[in-house]
């Protein structure tokens, strides 16, 4: 018998969910959105949203916290209007900007996961005086292009190193770290002598650079801007209005696609053979799952693995692979270009 609790969580394993997705006869729209606002009871907010989104067959990943909501989802096109009506009937989310994917195959997510977190984006900020009530000034795509023509303006990428590696705005400053939490303190230190300069921050969809802009203002920076809707909204706007595109390469996204092309340039290289390539993959070894860039040739040679060692492992029996994984931390594992190259 299905309990009320079961209705609040995904009940399918990955294979079952993928089969169900593949059997769908309708198209899907990949959307991201966020909003900083006070949620008095995040768990209740989360549970009510999960029930409605499940009924609408929404898939994706959503974080809810007392500071707001952060979502990356795919919505059946046949239910899109119902989805928007539900969202906009939440007072704080009325007329919220919804970022539609630049390139979309409808397969961005497999299951629905809505989690309650302490923060909708992990920032490591412990200063009790910090507030999101004062953020930098929004810049539209047009305003961004105009302002960043000035060589004295500092453009700062508030994404992780592996996102920057495959694509970024022309002349953008990289804050080379693995996490947004690290970047916040690093950005203050790197730009400490430029507090009176015009500083423009950007990220994928806007959530990180909005918080970063507030943190910069809190730390004494005077002229801080951030790109409204991030790279996704920028790319859609320049295409719609036929504006010059100042983003070079691919925009990394945190779903099954792992990226969407914004321009035709490829600026990154295969981490195994150094050929031009911008295709991210996860190592096929379940005990590794390293996120790295791999060209088609190396994908065939290494069978989707990051090394010959992992290639050997995937041909072992399921029992042998399970034994090798015992006691290992199989969390996020990401190749860092600043460290040694992958082993052959």
């Amino acid at each position: 018998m299905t309990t009320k609790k079961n209705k609040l969580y995904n009940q399918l394993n990955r294979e079952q969910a993928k089969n169900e997705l593949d059997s769908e006869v309708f198209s899907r729209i990949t959307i991201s959105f966020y909003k900083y606002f006070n949620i008095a009871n995040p768990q209740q907010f989360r549970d009510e949203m999960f029930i409605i989104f499940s009924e609408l067959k929404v898939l994706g990943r959503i974080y809810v916290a007392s500071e707001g909501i952060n979502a990356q989802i795919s919505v059946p096109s046949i239910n899109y209007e119902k989805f928007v009506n539900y969202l906009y009937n939440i007072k704080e989310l009325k007329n919220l900007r919804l970022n539609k994917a630049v390139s979309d195959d409808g397969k961005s997510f497999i299951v629905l996961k809505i989690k309650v977190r302490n923060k909708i984006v992990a920032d490591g900020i412990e200063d009790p005086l910090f507030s999101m009530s004062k953020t930098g000034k929004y810049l539209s795509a047009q305003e961004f292009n105009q302002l960043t023509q000035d060589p004295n303006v500092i453009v700062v990428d508030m994404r992780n190193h592996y996102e920057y590696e495959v694509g970024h705005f022309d002349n953008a400053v990289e804050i080379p770290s693995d996490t947004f939490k690290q970047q916040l303190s690093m950005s203050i230190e790197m730009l400490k002598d430029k507090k009176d300069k015009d500083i423009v921050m950007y990220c994928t969809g806007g959530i990180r650079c909005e918080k970063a802009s507030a943190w910069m203002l809190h730390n004494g920076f005077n002229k801080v801007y951030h790109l409204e809707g991030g790279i996704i909204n920028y790319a859609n706007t320049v295409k719609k209005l036929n504006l010059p595109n100042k983003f070079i390469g691919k925009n990394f996204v945190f779903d099954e696609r792992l990226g969407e092309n914004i321009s035709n340039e490829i600026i990154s290289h295969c981490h195994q053979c150094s050929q031009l390539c911008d295709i991210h993959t996860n190592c096929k070894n379940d005990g590794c799952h390293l996120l790295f860039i791999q060209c088609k040739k190396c994908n065939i040679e290494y069978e989707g693995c990051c090394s010959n060692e992992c290639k050997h492992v995937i041909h072992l029996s399921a029992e042998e692979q399970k034994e090798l994984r015992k006691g290992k931390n199989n969390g996020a594992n990401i190749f860092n270009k600043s460290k040694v190259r992958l082993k052959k």
Side-chain angles (χ1 to χ4, degrees), residues 111-170:
V111 298
L112 175 63
K113 295 182 179 180
I114 307 181
K115 298 182 178 181
V116 174
R117 293 281 183 87
N118 291 328
K119 301 282 186 71
I120 55 175
V121 56
D123 55 31
I125 297 174
E126 298 179 358
D127 188 339
L129 298 179
F130 173 72
S131 170
M132 284 297 298
S133 61
K134 185 180 180 182
T135 61
K137 180 183 177 183
Y138 274 139
L139 289 179
S140 66
Q142 300 96 315
E143 291 169 330
F144 178 90
N145 280 357
Q146 183 176 0
L147 183 59
T148 56
Q149 287 179 352
D150 184 344
N152 293 313
V153 171
I154 301 170
V155 181
V156 182
D157 191 313
M158 291 306 299
R159 300 172 305 147
N160 302 324
H161 67 86
Y162 56 91
E163 299 173 77
Y164 182 94
E165 184 177 8
V166 293
H168 51 260
F169 280 105
D170 189 26

Side-chain angles (χ1 to χ4, degrees), residues 18-260:
K18 193 174 186 308
N19 288 337
E20 191 168 297
L21 179 64
D22 290 340
S23 68
E24 291 180 349
V25 296
F26 48 81
S27 61
R28 286 182 169 272
I29 306 169
T30 299
I31 297 167
S32 62
F33 65 88
Y34 75 92
K35 180 68 179 292
Y36 288 103
F37 70 102
N38 180 59
I39 300 179
N41 190 331
Q43 187 65 50
Q44 181 181 343
F45 185 96
R46 177 261 174 221
D47 291 349
E48 291 175 355
M49 179 168 282
F50 190 92
I51 292 171
I52 298 298
F53 279 8
S54 294
E55 292 173 354
L56 296 177
K57 297 187 180 297
V58 172
L59 304 176
R61 178 179 56 249
I62 303 172
Y63 297 141
V64 176
S66 58
E67 70 169 357
I69 184 171
N70 179 20
Q72 295 87 41
I73 58 175
S74 80
V75 182
S77 53
I78 56 175
N79 291 334
Y80 182 72
E81 188 175 340
K82 291 179 181 178
F83 158 76
V84 173
N85 287 339
Y86 163 74
L87 208 62
Y88 285 1
N89 276 327
I90 299 173
K91 183 179 66 173
E92 294 85 356
L93 302 182
K94 186 174 179 61
N95 297 322
L96 176 71
R97 180 190 60 254
L98 301 175
N99 274 346
K100 291 186 179 180
V102 178
S103 57
D104 191 6
D105 60 4
K107 307 293 184 181
S108 50
F109 294 98
I110 296 176
V111 298
L112 175 63
K113 295 182 179 180
I114 307 181
K115 298 182 178 181
V116 174
R117 293 281 183 87
N118 291 328
K119 301 282 186 71
I120 55 175
V121 56
D123 55 31
I125 297 174
E126 298 179 358
D127 188 339
L129 298 179
F130 173 72
S131 170
M132 284 297 298
S133 61
K134 185 180 180 182
T135 61
K137 180 183 177 183
Y138 274 139
L139 289 179
S140 66
Q142 300 96 315
E143 291 169 330
F144 178 90
N145 280 357
Q146 183 176 0
L147 183 59
T148 56
Q149 287 179 352
D150 184 344
N152 293 313
V153 171
I154 301 170
V155 181
V156 182
D157 191 313
M158 291 306 299
R159 300 172 305 147
N160 302 324
H161 67 86
Y162 56 91
E163 299 173 77
Y164 182 94
E165 184 177 8
V166 293
H168 51 260
F169 280 105
D170 189 26
N171 297 322
V173 174
E174 179 186 10
I175 311 293
S177 66
D178 293 336
T179 67
F180 178 65
K181 176 181 176 180
Q182 294 171 341
Q183 281 186 316
L184 285 177
S185 58
M186 288 175 66
S187 61
I188 298 298
E189 178 62 26
M190 287 175 62
L191 302 172
K192 62 184 179 182
D193 60 343
K194 298 177 173 61
K195 291 190 174 182
D196 292 320
K197 293 275 190 179
D198 287 315
I199 296 176
V200 177
M201 318 190 91
Y202 72 88
C203 58
T204 306
I207 186 170
R208 287 177 283 182
C209 55
E210 183 162 335
K211 179 167 282 189
S213 74
W215 183 242
M216 297 291 278
L217 290 171
H218 181 71
N219 280 273
F221 289 79
N222 297 312
K223 294 181 285 186
V224 184
Y225 306 84
H226 57 111
L227 181 59
E228 183 175 10
I231 299 164
I232 297 173
N233 187 53
Y234 175 88
N236 284 323
T237 302
V238 296
K239 184 177 181 180
K240 180 180 179 181
L241 301 181
N242 197 28
L243 300 172
N245 174 29
K246 302 185 77 169
F247 190 90
I248 306 168
K250 177 182 281 188
N251 179 33
F252 183 94
V253 291
F254 294 88
D255 58 51
E256 296 290 320
R257 297 170 297 153
L258 291 179
E260 48 188 15

Side-chain angles (χ1 to χ4, degrees), residues 14 40 71 79 213 257 262 283 307:
R14 183 179 176 84
N79 291 334
S213 74
R257 297 170 297 153
I262 308 299
C283 179
S307 64

